[in-house]
Amino acid sequence: MTARASEFDLIARIHQRAASRGDVVVGIGDDAAILSLPPGRQLVVAMDTLNVGVHFPEDTAPADIGWKSLAVNLSDLAAMAATPTWCTLSLSLPQPDEAWLDGFLDGFLALAASHEVALVGGDTTRGPLSVCVTVHGLVDPRGALLRSGARVGDDVWMTGTLGDAAAALRQWQSHRPIDPALRARLDRPTPRVEAGLALAGIAHACIDVSDGLLADLGHICRASRVGAQIDVDALPASDALIAAFDPPARRELQAAGGDDYELCFTAPKTARLAVQDAMHACEVIATRIGGITADAGKIALRDAAGAEWSPSHAGYVHFEG
Amino acid sequence: MTARASEFDLIARIHQRAASRGDVVVGIGDDAAILSLPPGRQLVVAMDTLNVGVHFPEDTAPADIGWKSLAVNLSDLAAMAATPTWCTLSLSLPQPDEAWLDGFLDGFLALAASHEVALVGGDTTRGPLSVCVTVHGLVDPRGALLRSGARVGDDVWMTGTLGDAAAALRQWQSHRPIDPALRARLDRPTPRVEAGLALAGIAHACIDVSDGLLADLGHICRASRVGAQIDVDALPASDALIAAFDPPARRELQAAGGDDYELCFTAPKTARLAVQDAMHACEVIATRIGGITADAGKIALRDAAGAEWSPSHAGYVHFEG
C-alpha cells in the first residue's frame, strides 16, 4: 500500500517537472504516450540500463546518475546521426525517496532540456536501484550512420579524448584521490549529438565508445567486414590523463578503457577537410587515429615508431563493484 | 571480462531468435534500431519493468517471466487501441545464464510472435534479476482511447473476469495450493490487444486493470473529471474464482486485486450493441458493471440489493516478496 501510494507520488513529481514538446500528443499520465512524427523521417530507438554496483558506485550523486542514464542513451542516437526527441524512464528504487528523485531529475532533466528531449512516460517501481531509459530520435533515411558502412581506405577518427573515464575508475579502484576532471568525464559524459548530426553525409560508419575503443572499433570492423590499423600514439589524450598516468598506462586506458562516449567514425580520405569543418562547426575536436584495411576482423596497433603494440588485456576497464 | 564476453553471447542468442518485420530498417546489432512508420499513423510508447521479489516470486518459471514482461506492456497498448509493432528489452541478470535466457525467450517471443511484434534492441547487463520492456505501436490519430474521454451517462464495462490473479497471489501468500487456472491468469495474462482495437471508435475511455479495478477506474474518473457507480455483484468472476473464494472474499479480490490486465472501458448507452458485436468478433466476453456519474472523483459501490459496499482496504493485492 505505502509503496504503491508513493509510486503515484513519485510519478506526479516527475510529471510536474518534465517539459513537453509540440509533437507530444499524449505524455505522462495515460497508459502510453502518443507521439507525432514528421513525414519523411524514420524512428530511431535505443535502450540502456544502469545498475548500482555495476555501472556506478553506490555513492554516486543522484544528479550524476540521472545525467549519465540519459547521456549513454543519447550517445547511441548520436552514433546513428539521429536528432533526439523523446525518452521514457523506468526507475527502480529500494524505497520511495523524494529527495533522491529530485536530485536524479536535476541531472536527467538538465541534459534532456539541453537536447530538447521530452520525457513522455515510463514507470517507477520498488527494487534495487536501477535506471532504464529508452530514447527516441528521428533520422533522415539517407543520413543514418551505421556500423556497417566502413570501407577499405577510410580514415578512422575519434572525437574528443580517450581514457579519461577509465582513468577515474582506475584511481577509484586503487583508492587514490580521483582527479576532478577525470571524474567529471566518468560521471557526466557528453553525448556527441551535434557531432553525430554533423557527420551525416560525410562519415561512412560510426559507433560510440562505451566498451573501449578496441571493442567498439571491433564492432565496426565485424559489421563492415574490414580491419583497421591504429596508431596508438595518435590516440587523443586530455591534459588530466597525461598528468595522471605515464605513457604505458595511458595507452592501455585509451585503447581499452570504456565509458568515454566519444564517437569513433570512419570517413573517406577525400573528406578530411569536410570532417574538420563539420567538427569545428560544433566545437568538437576530432583526431585521425588510423585507417580501415582489408584484413577483415583484425585491428593492428602500432606506436609512432611503427612497432607493434598490444594492450596487456584485451578487455575494457569498467566499474563492477 | 567474462561477464562482458558473456553479455555479447547473450545478445547474439537473442538476436538469433528474434523475428523481424518489413518495417524494421535496422534491428538488433547497431547502436540503435531504425524503424519506418506508415504515413498517417502516430507512435504509441509504453514502458514497464518487472523486478524479482516485487512483481513475481523468485521461483517463477523463466518462460512465464518472459511472457508477462511483454504482456503487461502490450496491455498498455491495448488500452490505447494501438496496434503493437516493435519492442526493446533490457535484461539484468545476476549471472549470464543461457538456459535461463532460452526459457525466458520461449515465453517472450511466443507472445511477441502472436502479435507480430519485432524485438529490435535493448541490452543485457549484470544486476539483480529485472526485466524492462518498451513497446511501440501505431494508432490512427482519430481512434486512440484515452483515460480522459469518459462522459456522464456512459456505461462502464469490463473485458474477461476480475480477481483471478489476485486470488492466485492470495493462495500463494497463505501457503495454500494454488489453483492452476488462477495461477495461469497471474503468470500468463492475456493482453486484450484485439479487444482494444475493436473498441476504437466505440468506447469513450479505456484503461487496463493492473493496480485493481477501483484504482484504475479511479484514474479514468480523475482524468475525465467524473465519478462512477459500480454494481459489485455484476463484476465478472471466473469459475475458478467462484470455486475457491466465498462471495465476500471474492468481491475484495475483484474490486481491489491487481494484475488481471483486462480492459475497463466506458461507452455510451447507445453503443451497447456495438460493444457486444465488437467483443463477440474478437471472442472476448464484456460485462456491464456500472455507469459514469457527475459525482467527480467518487466511485460508489453497491451490491445487487442496492446496499453500499466498500472493500476492507482500498488498495490492491500485489506481489511484494
Side-chain angles (χ1 to χ4, degrees):
Chain A
M1 273 308 298
T2 332
R4 198 66 186 188
S6 293
E7 186 196 331
F8 294 128
D9 293 346
L10 294 184
I11 290 173
R13 216 169 178 89
I14 294 170
H15 191 175
Q16 201 174 8
R17 292 189 56 183
S20 193
R21 291 167 47 107
D23 51 13
V24 178
V25 182
V26 173
I28 297 171
D30 213 301
D31 291 289
I34 304 184
L35 308 161
S36 173
L37 276 81
R41 288 288 178 279
Q42 290 176 336
L43 177 70
V44 184
V45 180
M47 180 190 216
D48 255 317
T49 293
L50 301 186
N51 290 330
V52 66
V54 180
H55 299 95
F56 54 86
E58 193 145 11
D59 65 351
T60 307
D64 290 337
I65 298 170
W67 176 285
K68 188 164 181 173
S69 65
L70 182 57
V72 303
N73 277 283
L74 290 177
S75 180
D76 282 322
L77 293 191
M80 309 293 283
T83 304
T85 48
W86 317 292
C87 65
T88 56
L89 163 68
S90 179
L91 198 54
S92 293
L93 294 174
Q95 61 274 324
D97 180 337
E98 298 193 338
W100 190 95
L101 179 66
D102 281 342
F104 176 88
L105 290 175
D106 287 344
F108 189 95
L109 295 177
L111 184 60
S114 75
H115 293 283
E116 294 177 56
V117 172
L119 175 59
V120 297
D123 68 341
T124 69
T125 189
R126 195 167 67 78
L129 178 56
S130 174
V131 188
C132 183
V133 174
T134 301
V135 286
H136 297 82
L138 301 174
V139 75
D140 183 319
R142 294 154 303 183
L145 293 176
L146 306 185
R147 296 178 178 179
S148 54
R151 295 177 212 168
V152 175
D154 277 0
D155 293 322
V156 178
W157 296 80
M158 279 302 312
T159 63
T161 61
L162 279 168
D164 293 344
L169 270 179
R170 185 62 54 85
Q171 290 177 331
W172 183 82
Q173 282 160 341
S174 53
H175 307 286
R176 288 154 58 189
I178 306 178
D179 181 285
L182 300 177
R183 173 103 207 199
R185 290 293 308 275
L186 177 66
D187 288 340
R188 296 242 174 179
T190 303
R192 295 298 187 187
V193 173
E194 296 79 8
L197 289 169
L199 289 169
I202 300 174
H204 280 162
C206 189
I207 194 168
D208 70 317
V209 175
S210 54
D211 294 332
L213 172 63
L214 295 185
D216 289 316
L217 181 57
H219 291 313
I220 285 187
C221 289
R222 264 188 300 282
S224 303
R225 296 161 195 254
V226 296
Q229 181 269 313
I230 298 298
D231 176 0
V232 289
D233 286 323
L235 300 181
S238 69
D239 291 344
L241 184 70
I242 291 169
F245 288 86
D246 60 22
R250 195 162 73 217
R251 279 183 188 165
E252 298 275 340
L253 294 167
Q254 292 177 284
D259 277 338
D260 283 314
Y261 299 99
E262 296 290 350
L263 298 181
C264 174
F265 60 96
T266 84
K269 286 192 177 70
T270 52
R272 284 179 185 175
L273 203 61
V275 168
Q276 294 289 12
D277 285 351
M279 295 299 94
H280 185 76
C282 49
E283 295 176 14
V284 170
I285 290 170
T287 308
R288 267 194 297 129
I289 61 170
I292 294 296
T293 69
D295 198 359
K298 173 153 173 68
I299 300 179
L301 304 166
R302 295 193 182 279
D303 65 19
E308 272 189 46
W309 180 87
S310 63
S312 61
H313 67 294
Y316 76 129
V317 180
H318 202 295
F319 176 72
E320 296 256 349
Chain B
M1 275 306 300
T2 333
R4 197 66 184 187
S6 292
E7 186 197 328
F8 294 128
D9 293 347
L10 294 185
I11 290 173
R13 216 167 178 91
I14 294 170
H15 191 174
Q16 201 174 9
R17 291 188 57 182
S20 194
R21 290 167 49 108
D23 51 13
V24 178
V25 182
V26 173
I28 297 171
D30 214 302
D31 291 288
I34 304 184
L35 307 161
S36 173
L37 276 80
R41 288 287 179 279
Q42 289 176 335
L43 178 69
V44 184
V45 180
M47 181 189 215
D48 255 317
T49 293
L50 301 186
N51 290 330
V52 66
V54 180
H55 299 95
F56 54 86
E58 192 146 10
D59 65 351
T60 307
D64 289 337
I65 299 169
W67 176 285
K68 188 163 181 174
S69 65
L70 183 58
V72 303
N73 278 283
L74 290 177
S75 180
D76 282 322
L77 293 192
M80 310 292 285
T83 305
T85 48
W86 318 291
C87 65
T88 55
L89 164 67
S90 180
L91 199 54
S92 294
L93 294 173
Q95 61 275 324
D97 181 337
E98 298 192 339
W100 190 94
L101 179 67
D102 281 342
F104 175 89
L105 290 176
D106 287 344
F108 189 95
L109 295 177
L111 184 59
S114 74
H115 293 283
E116 294 177 54
V117 171
L119 175 59
V120 297
D123 68 340
T124 69
T125 189
R126 195 166 68 77
L129 179 56
S130 175
V131 188
C132 183
V133 173
T134 301
V135 286
H136 297 82
L138 301 174
V139 76
D140 183 318
R142 293 155 303 182
L145 293 176
L146 306 185
R147 296 177 178 180
S148 55
R151 296 177 211 166
V152 176
D154 277 1
D155 293 322
V156 178
W157 296 80
M158 279 302 313
T159 63
T161 60
L162 279 168
D164 293 342
L169 271 178
R170 184 63 52 86
Q171 290 177 330
W172 183 82
Q173 283 160 341
S174 54
H175 307 286
R176 289 155 57 190
I178 306 178
D179 181 285
L182 299 177
R183 172 102 206 199
R185 290 293 308 274
L186 178 65
D187 288 341
R188 295 242 173 178
T190 303
R192 296 297 188 187
V193 173
E194 295 79 10
L197 289 169
L199 290 169
I202 300 174
H204 280 163
C206 189
I207 194 169
D208 69 318
V209 175
S210 55
D211 294 332
L213 171 63
L214 295 185
D216 289 316
L217 180 57
H219 292 312
I220 285 187
C221 289
R222 265 187 300 281
S224 302
R225 296 160 195 256
V226 296
Q229 181 267 313
I230 298 298
D231 175 0
V232 289
D233 286 324
L235 299 181
S238 69
D239 293 343
L241 184 70
I242 291 169
F245 288 86
D246 60 21
R250 197 161 73 218
R251 278 183 188 165
E252 297 276 340
L253 294 167
Q254 292 177 284
D259 276 340
D260 284 314
Y261 300 100
E262 296 290 349
L263 298 182
C264 174
F265 60 96
T266 84
K269 286 191 177 69
T270 52
R272 284 179 185 175
L273 203 63
V275 168
Q276 293 289 11
D277 285 350
M279 294 300 94
H280 185 75
C282 50
E283 296 176 12
V284 169
I285 290 171
T287 308
R288 268 195 295 129
I289 61 169
I292 293 295
T293 69
D295 198 359
K298 172 151 173 71
I299 300 180
L301 303 165
R302 296 195 180 278
D303 64 19
E308 270 189 47
W309 180 88
S310 62
S312 61
H313 67 292
Y316 75 129
V317 181
H318 204 295
F319 176 72
E320 297 256 348

